[in-house]
Amino acid sequence: MRILLVEDERRLAEALRAGLSAEGYAVDVAHNGRDALWHASEHPYAAIILDIMLPGLNGYRVCRRLRDQGDSTPILMLTAKDGEDDEIEALDTGADDFLPKPFSYGVLLSRLRALIRRGGATRPGVLRLGDLELDQAGRTCRRGTADIALTGKEFALLAYLMQRPGQVVTKAELLDNLWDFAASATANLVEVHVSALRRKLGTETIRTVRGAGYLVATSGA
Ligand code: CA
């Protein structure tokens, strides 16, 4: 079973990685939020252990970003202090469980096992638009009975639009929510991915609202 561990304190990260590996987990380690998002977009994980205090993009933002992208991987968040506010915010951003630091390794293991057993508490369902079906838990897309292979970014883009049917979404909003380096990414990048999606889905699904952005019409509209 593959786990993503996101922790910037390298000695703690290495100790946890070694311990989890000894338990039989395959463990990928990210030391910052951006790497975490990259790993999560590249591999399916059984669970993510996510520290809150990270350089750059903190754990809350990583969690929020993953959920906005339709990623429902169970997340165990490591809260920095025994503060109720941290814990509430962790759950509000879509984490499934939290563990205050410092924690005992045994407790971490048992919480992780429990989390994997029950899956994500906030596991989202299937998005539908006419005969188009996007399964956010299974990460599959189909039109009728035909499977459509999407890249991670195409999946995230389509999920974002399908969660907002009938609503115009600007390129800036898409860049801000779906790309890590919003400053260096451009509107052109969004257009390239929308074109790729249209080649796979047909041109009717995602409409261009000139000068404003994109929209998927509500079913039947
Ligand atoms: Ca930290």
Side-chain angles (χ1 to χ4, degrees), residues 6-9 12 51-55 78 80 101:
V6 190
E7 170 60 76
D8 60 315
E9 291 161 53
L12 176 58
D51 188 31
I52 286 181
M53 300 298 285
L54 296 167
L78 304 179
K101 283 179 169 180

Side-chain angles (χ1 to χ4, degrees), residues 63-112:
C63 187
R64 171 64 67 203
R65 184 80 64 95
L66 288 172
R67 296 308 188 228
D68 281 348
Q69 292 176 359
D71 188 324
S72 62
T73 306
I75 293 177
L76 174 62
M77 209 175 254
L78 304 179
T79 52
K81 50 187 183 291
D82 194 8
E84 209 175 80
D85 290 348
D86 272 12
E87 293 161 1
I88 291 167
E89 191 164 359
L91 298 177
D92 279 351
T93 55
D96 299 282
D97 199 2
F98 56 84
L99 190 60
K101 283 179 169 180
F103 50 83
S104 89
Y105 178 65
V107 171
L108 173 74
L109 263 189
S110 67
R111 299 284 277 275
L112 184 62

Side-chain angles (χ1 to χ4, degrees), residues 194-218:
V194 169
S195 298
L197 268 176
R198 282 177 173 153
R199 276 196 298 277
K200 295 178 178 182
L201 303 173
T203 52
E204 293 303 301
T205 305
I206 302 174
R207 300 182 191 172
T208 300
V209 181
R210 208 164 286 281
Y214 299 105
L215 141 95
V216 297
T218 47

